[in-house]
Amino acid sequence: MRKWHLIIGMACLLLTACSSGTTVTTGAASEQEQKPSLDVKLTVTGNQVTVKVDTDIQISEEHYGKARKKGEGHIHMYLDDGEKIGVTEEEKVFKDLAPGKHTIKMSLHNNDHTPYDVTKSIDFDIK
């Protein structure tokens, strides 16, 4: 009978340990949960557009293309599916745009160009 008490006691301990509700978060999951913010405002004036980016990462011209540093980086912009433009300021002006519909795509990147997986795409018209 004593043997059964020992077995039941051990089973209760195992069940309690398994249901303790403890959650372990790995580094990769933590980085995903802490994605930076990205807000964008476009101002169209004549045949140009000014793109103003608001983000909580520090945009760094000094560390562009260098080692990753938490909370720091730059912006990749693509106008009308064109080539990537590395942007190290919060404002970028595109001049002499043709009349018609255009699309600007932006994404936030670490100094070493690895993505933060934060993107935005905005359509606009030049009259």
Side-chain angles (χ1 to χ4, degrees), residues 12-63:
C12 288
L13 281 173
L14 285 173
L15 288 173
T16 302
C18 290
S19 65
S20 67
T22 303
T23 303
V24 176
T25 305
T26 65
S30 295
E31 287 178 19
Q32 288 178 356
E33 293 169 8
Q34 298 175 3
K35 287 186 180 183
S37 64
L38 175 62
D39 291 314
V40 181
K41 180 182 177 189
L42 297 184
T43 304
V44 177
T45 308
N47 66 346
Q48 76 178 28
V49 65
T50 301
V51 182
K52 178 131 174 80
V53 174
D54 184 25
T55 181
D56 54 2
I57 66 168
Q58 180 181 345
I59 304 299
S60 174
E61 181 177 6
E62 179 183 359
H63 298 132

